[in-house]
Amino acid sequence: VHGGHINSCTHLPIDCPWGCKTVIRRFQRDAHQRACPEAEVRCACGVAVRRKLHAEHQRQDCPEQPIKCKKCGEQTKRKLMPKHEKEECKLGEIPCSHCKKKVKRKDMKNHVKKCPKVKEKCRRCGKMVEREDNAAHQNKHKK
């Protein structure tokens, strides 16, 4: 009878099963697991990580963690930042499809309105002429 009680006694001291070196009573096991720094927790990204390392995981590795773009300051999930930087960041520079000059994404519409390499149709002959060559082209019609 005594041996049976020892095996089921909820007040029996035990070492933390997760390895934090704390001695707890069996009945405290569940409560201790919810606070033990060595117990595994599941991050929002699905990764199992020790509780004491969870904040560091979120700060440095978690793909679901919102982070700020270094250029524009917009927040997006870490896993989406490469796409943001490549395709969305307003302060990211992209090449003009006409002159190849690198222009901030937010300024591209205004750049194209003035870009000297944009081709425009001549009203007189219908030929496509680069904006920077338009004056010389118009002079040809005057001769």
Side-chain angles (χ1 to χ4, degrees):
V1 178
H2 189 265
H5 175 73
I6 292 292
N7 291 338
S8 63
C9 180
T10 59
H11 289 277
L12 189 69
I14 58 170
D15 291 330
C16 168
W18 299 281
C20 79
K21 309 279 192 261
T22 302
V23 176
I24 57 172
R25 302 212 180 264
R26 277 188 181 157
F27 76 89
Q28 296 172 315
R29 187 181 190 278
D30 290 345
H32 179 70
Q33 182 183 15
R34 290 190 290 274
C36 179
E38 298 294 334
E40 281 192 348
V41 293
R42 187 142 317 264
C43 182
C45 70
V47 170
V49 62
R50 286 186 183 151
R51 181 174 280 107
K52 69 179 182 181
L53 300 175
H54 190 223
E56 181 181 344
H57 163 75
Q58 287 184 314
R59 239 184 349 269
Q60 296 182 356
D61 303 316
C62 180
E64 295 295 324
Q65 193 65 21
I67 58 171
K68 277 188 177 184
C69 174
K70 291 178 180 115
K71 290 182 180 177
C72 71
E74 186 176 316
Q75 279 202 343
T76 189
K77 290 180 180 183
R78 181 177 276 112
K79 69 181 179 183
L80 300 176
M81 189 55 70
K83 181 182 188 298
H84 168 79
E85 289 173 340
K86 186 177 179 185
E87 301 173 18
E88 301 161 357
C89 179
K90 292 173 180 70
L91 299 181
E93 292 188 340
I94 53 173
C96 170
S97 60
H98 305 282
C99 71
K100 308 304 179 218
K101 177 182 176 184
K102 293 226 177 218
V103 179
K104 288 180 181 165
R105 187 174 274 107
K106 71 177 184 75
D107 298 331
M108 188 56 75
K109 282 184 183 172
N110 287 332
H111 168 77
V112 170
K113 287 178 187 174
K114 299 179 237 167
C115 179
K117 296 290 184 184
V118 169
K119 290 191 177 190
E120 298 175 321
K121 190 173 186 176
C122 174
R123 282 176 264 201
R124 292 183 178 173
C125 68
K127 184 178 176 183
M128 296 302 287
V129 182
E130 287 183 355
R131 196 175 277 147
E132 67 183 355
D133 297 332
N134 192 34
H137 177 79
Q138 293 304 318
N139 284 337
K140 288 180 184 176
H141 287 297
K142 292 178 183 176
K143 292 180 182 177

PDB file of all heavy atoms in Angstrom, residues 43-45 56-67 77-79:
ATOM      1  N   CYS A  43       5.435  28.865 -31.282  1.00  0.00           N
ATOM      2  CA  CYS A  43       5.365  30.232 -31.802  1.00  0.00           C
ATOM      3  C   CYS A  43       4.221  30.312 -32.819  1.00  0.00           C
ATOM      4  O   CYS A  43       3.796  29.291 -33.364  1.00  0.00           O
ATOM      5  CB  CYS A  43       6.698  30.585 -32.462  1.00  0.00           C
ATOM      6  SG  CYS A  43       6.759  32.277 -33.101  1.00  0.00           S
ATOM      7  N   ALA A  44       3.760  31.514 -33.100  1.00  0.00           N
ATOM      8  CA  ALA A  44       2.703  31.717 -34.096  1.00  0.00           C
ATOM      9  C   ALA A  44       3.108  31.182 -35.471  1.00  0.00           C
ATOM     10  O   ALA A  44       2.265  30.813 -36.275  1.00  0.00           O
ATOM     11  CB  ALA A  44       2.374  33.204 -34.213  1.00  0.00           C
ATOM     12  N   CYS A  45       4.415  31.091 -35.719  1.00  0.00           N
ATOM     13  CA  CYS A  45       4.896  30.583 -37.013  1.00  0.00           C
ATOM     14  C   CYS A  45       4.915  29.058 -37.064  1.00  0.00           C
ATOM     15  O   CYS A  45       5.214  28.474 -38.097  1.00  0.00           O
ATOM     16  CB  CYS A  45       6.293  31.129 -37.313  1.00  0.00           C
ATOM     17  SG  CYS A  45       7.613  30.483 -36.269  1.00  0.00           S
ATOM     18  N   GLU A  56      13.640  36.070 -28.309  1.00  0.00           N
ATOM     19  CA  GLU A  56      14.770  36.206 -29.238  1.00  0.00           C
ATOM     20  C   GLU A  56      14.393  35.653 -30.621  1.00  0.00           C
ATOM     21  O   GLU A  56      14.723  36.254 -31.644  1.00  0.00           O
ATOM     22  CB  GLU A  56      15.988  35.468 -28.690  1.00  0.00           C
ATOM     23  CG  GLU A  56      17.210  35.567 -29.572  1.00  0.00           C
ATOM     24  CD  GLU A  56      18.398  34.791 -29.015  1.00  0.00           C
ATOM     25  OE1 GLU A  56      18.403  34.422 -27.833  1.00  0.00           O
ATOM     26  OE2 GLU A  56      19.320  34.553 -29.810  1.00  0.00           O
ATOM     27  N   HIS A  57      13.694  34.525 -30.640  1.00  0.00           N
ATOM     28  CA  HIS A  57      13.228  33.937 -31.899  1.00  0.00           C
ATOM     29  C   HIS A  57      12.355  34.947 -32.648  1.00  0.00           C
ATOM     30  O   HIS A  57      12.524  35.157 -33.854  1.00  0.00           O
ATOM     31  CB  HIS A  57      12.445  32.647 -31.629  1.00  0.00           C
ATOM     32  CG  HIS A  57      11.608  32.187 -32.782  1.00  0.00           C
ATOM     33  ND1 HIS A  57      12.142  31.594 -33.903  1.00  0.00           N
ATOM     34  CD2 HIS A  57      10.270  32.260 -32.994  1.00  0.00           C
ATOM     35  CE1 HIS A  57      11.163  31.318 -34.760  1.00  0.00           C
ATOM     36  NE2 HIS A  57      10.021  31.705 -34.229  1.00  0.00           N
ATOM     37  N   GLN A  58      11.440  35.588 -31.921  1.00  0.00           N
ATOM     38  CA  GLN A  58      10.557  36.557 -32.564  1.00  0.00           C
ATOM     39  C   GLN A  58      11.341  37.774 -33.066  1.00  0.00           C
ATOM     40  O   GLN A  58      11.079  38.282 -34.148  1.00  0.00           O
ATOM     41  CB  GLN A  58       9.458  37.002 -31.603  1.00  0.00           C
ATOM     42  CG  GLN A  58       8.419  35.925 -31.384  1.00  0.00           C
ATOM     43  CD  GLN A  58       7.289  36.395 -30.512  1.00  0.00           C
ATOM     44  OE1 GLN A  58       7.511  37.006 -29.466  1.00  0.00           O
ATOM     45  NE2 GLN A  58       6.081  36.112 -30.931  1.00  0.00           N
ATOM     46  N   ARG A  59      12.297  38.228 -32.282  1.00  0.00           N
ATOM     47  CA  ARG A  59      13.104  39.393 -32.659  1.00  0.00           C
ATOM     48  C   ARG A  59      13.986  39.128 -33.881  1.00  0.00           C
ATOM     49  O   ARG A  59      14.182  40.011 -34.709  1.00  0.00           O
ATOM     50  CB  ARG A  59      14.015  39.786 -31.488  1.00  0.00           C
ATOM     51  CG  ARG A  59      13.826  41.166 -30.972  1.00  0.00           C
ATOM     52  CD  ARG A  59      14.778  41.604 -29.871  1.00  0.00           C
ATOM     53  NE  ARG A  59      15.620  40.626 -29.228  1.00  0.00           N
ATOM     54  CZ  ARG A  59      15.302  39.939 -28.131  1.00  0.00           C
ATOM     55  NH1 ARG A  59      14.143  40.121 -27.554  1.00  0.00           N
ATOM     56  NH2 ARG A  59      16.146  39.077 -27.615  1.00  0.00           N
ATOM     57  N   GLN A  60      14.512  37.904 -33.996  1.00  0.00           N
ATOM     58  CA  GLN A  60      15.523  37.656 -35.016  1.00  0.00           C
ATOM     59  C   GLN A  60      15.122  36.715 -36.149  1.00  0.00           C
ATOM     60  O   GLN A  60      15.634  36.866 -37.252  1.00  0.00           O
ATOM     61  CB  GLN A  60      16.787  37.099 -34.356  1.00  0.00           C
ATOM     62  CG  GLN A  60      17.431  38.086 -33.421  1.00  0.00           C
ATOM     63  CD  GLN A  60      18.706  37.542 -32.795  1.00  0.00           C
ATOM     64  OE1 GLN A  60      19.078  36.397 -33.010  1.00  0.00           O
ATOM     65  NE2 GLN A  60      19.364  38.362 -32.009  1.00  0.00           N
ATOM     66  N   ASP A  61      14.250  35.744 -35.884  1.00  0.00           N
ATOM     67  CA  ASP A  61      14.017  34.697 -36.878  1.00  0.00           C
ATOM     68  C   ASP A  61      12.575  34.502 -37.332  1.00  0.00           C
ATOM     69  O   ASP A  61      12.354  34.027 -38.441  1.00  0.00           O
ATOM     70  CB  ASP A  61      14.490  33.335 -36.326  1.00  0.00           C
ATOM     71  CG  ASP A  61      15.960  33.355 -35.927  1.00  0.00           C
ATOM     72  OD1 ASP A  61      16.762  33.900 -36.692  1.00  0.00           O
ATOM     73  OD2 ASP A  61      16.288  32.823 -34.854  1.00  0.00           O
ATOM     74  N   CYS A  62      11.616  34.778 -36.484  1.00  0.00           N
ATOM     75  CA  CYS A  62      10.230  34.405 -36.766  1.00  0.00           C
ATOM     76  C   CYS A  62       9.723  35.042 -38.066  1.00  0.00           C
ATOM     77  O   CYS A  62       9.689  36.260 -38.184  1.00  0.00           O
ATOM     78  CB  CYS A  62       9.323  34.803 -35.607  1.00  0.00           C
ATOM     79  SG  CYS A  62       7.601  34.351 -35.897  1.00  0.00           S
ATOM     80  N   PRO A  63       9.312  34.223 -39.035  1.00  0.00           N
ATOM     81  CA  PRO A  63       8.826  34.764 -40.305  1.00  0.00           C
ATOM     82  C   PRO A  63       7.487  35.496 -40.175  1.00  0.00           C
ATOM     83  O   PRO A  63       7.141  36.298 -41.044  1.00  0.00           O
ATOM     84  CB  PRO A  63       8.690  33.530 -41.196  1.00  0.00           C
ATOM     85  CG  PRO A  63       8.612  32.363 -40.273  1.00  0.00           C
ATOM     86  CD  PRO A  63       9.349  32.754 -39.029  1.00  0.00           C
ATOM     87  N   GLU A  64       6.755  35.253 -39.101  1.00  0.00           N
ATOM     88  CA  GLU A  64       5.450  35.900 -38.902  1.00  0.00           C
ATOM     89  C   GLU A  64       5.563  37.249 -38.180  1.00  0.00           C
ATOM     90  O   GLU A  64       4.601  38.002 -38.129  1.00  0.00           O
ATOM     91  CB  GLU A  64       4.516  34.982 -38.100  1.00  0.00           C
ATOM     92  CG  GLU A  64       4.151  33.702 -38.823  1.00  0.00           C
ATOM     93  CD  GLU A  64       3.341  33.930 -40.088  1.00  0.00           C
ATOM     94  OE1 GLU A  64       2.507  34.850 -40.131  1.00  0.00           O
ATOM     95  OE2 GLU A  64       3.562  33.184 -41.055  1.00  0.00           O
ATOM     96  N   GLN A  65       6.720  37.544 -37.615  1.00  0.00           N
ATOM     97  CA  GLN A  65       6.907  38.755 -36.811  1.00  0.00           C
ATOM     98  C   GLN A  65       6.927  39.996 -37.709  1.00  0.00           C
ATOM     99  O   GLN A  65       7.642  40.037 -38.706  1.00  0.00           O
ATOM    100  CB  GLN A  65       8.219  38.648 -36.026  1.00  0.00           C
ATOM    101  CG  GLN A  65       8.376  39.675 -34.950  1.00  0.00           C
ATOM    102  CD  GLN A  65       7.363  39.528 -33.831  1.00  0.00           C
ATOM    103  OE1 GLN A  65       6.774  38.493 -33.614  1.00  0.00           O
ATOM    104  NE2 GLN A  65       7.149  40.596 -33.113  1.00  0.00           N
ATOM    105  N   PRO A  66       6.149  41.023 -37.372  1.00  0.00           N
ATOM    106  CA  PRO A  66       6.202  42.271 -38.148  1.00  0.00           C
ATOM    107  C   PRO A  66       7.550  42.966 -37.924  1.00  0.00           C
ATOM    108  O   PRO A  66       8.026  43.054 -36.803  1.00  0.00           O
ATOM    109  CB  PRO A  66       5.073  43.116 -37.569  1.00  0.00           C
ATOM    110  CG  PRO A  66       4.229  42.191 -36.762  1.00  0.00           C
ATOM    111  CD  PRO A  66       5.126  41.068 -36.334  1.00  0.00           C
ATOM    112  N   ILE A  67       8.145  43.422 -39.020  1.00  0.00           N
ATOM    113  CA  ILE A  67       9.385  44.192 -38.932  1.00  0.00           C
ATOM    114  C   ILE A  67       9.239  45.425 -39.815  1.00  0.00           C
ATOM    115  O   ILE A  67       8.396  45.463 -40.710  1.00  0.00           O
ATOM    116  CB  ILE A  67      10.623  43.367 -39.354  1.00  0.00           C
ATOM    117  CG1 ILE A  67      10.494  42.843 -40.778  1.00  0.00           C
ATOM    118  CG2 ILE A  67      10.883  42.228 -38.382  1.00  0.00           C
ATOM    119  CD1 ILE A  67      11.755  42.196 -41.338  1.00  0.00           C
ATOM    120  N   LYS A  77       5.299  41.511 -42.348  1.00  0.00           N
ATOM    121  CA  LYS A  77       5.858  40.289 -41.773  1.00  0.00           C
ATOM    122  C   LYS A  77       7.246  40.038 -42.352  1.00  0.00           C
ATOM    123  O   LYS A  77       7.493  40.320 -43.531  1.00  0.00           O
ATOM    124  CB  LYS A  77       4.956  39.091 -42.078  1.00  0.00           C
ATOM    125  CG  LYS A  77       3.654  39.123 -41.324  1.00  0.00           C
ATOM    126  CD  LYS A  77       2.804  37.913 -41.659  1.00  0.00           C
ATOM    127  CE  LYS A  77       1.496  37.949 -40.899  1.00  0.00           C
ATOM    128  NZ  LYS A  77       0.691  36.756 -41.162  1.00  0.00           N
ATOM    129  N   ARG A  78       8.128  39.511 -41.523  1.00  0.00           N
ATOM    130  CA  ARG A  78       9.509  39.234 -41.946  1.00  0.00           C
ATOM    131  C   ARG A  78       9.541  38.417 -43.245  1.00  0.00           C
ATOM    132  O   ARG A  78      10.310  38.701 -44.146  1.00  0.00           O
ATOM    133  CB  ARG A  78      10.269  38.498 -40.844  1.00  0.00           C
ATOM    134  CG  ARG A  78      11.712  38.193 -41.192  1.00  0.00           C
ATOM    135  CD  ARG A  78      12.467  37.529 -40.055  1.00  0.00           C
ATOM    136  NE  ARG A  78      12.967  38.544 -39.133  1.00  0.00           N
ATOM    137  CZ  ARG A  78      12.531  38.718 -37.887  1.00  0.00           C
ATOM    138  NH1 ARG A  78      11.612  37.937 -37.388  1.00  0.00           N
ATOM    139  NH2 ARG A  78      13.032  39.666 -37.117  1.00  0.00           N
ATOM    140  N   LYS A  79       8.654  37.420 -43.346  1.00  0.00           N
ATOM    141  CA  LYS A  79       8.667  36.557 -44.535  1.00  0.00           C
ATOM    142  C   LYS A  79       8.253  37.312 -45.801  1.00  0.00           C
ATOM    143  O   LYS A  79       8.563  36.878 -46.906  1.00  0.00           O
ATOM    144  CB  LYS A  79       7.778  35.328 -44.321  1.00  0.00           C
ATOM    145  CG  LYS A  79       6.297  35.622 -44.256  1.00  0.00           C
ATOM    146  CD  LYS A  79       5.498  34.362 -44.011  1.00  0.00           C
ATOM    147  CE  LYS A  79       4.008  34.648 -43.931  1.00  0.00           C
ATOM    148  NZ  LYS A  79       3.250  33.429 -43.617  1.00  0.00           N
TER     149      LYS A  79
END
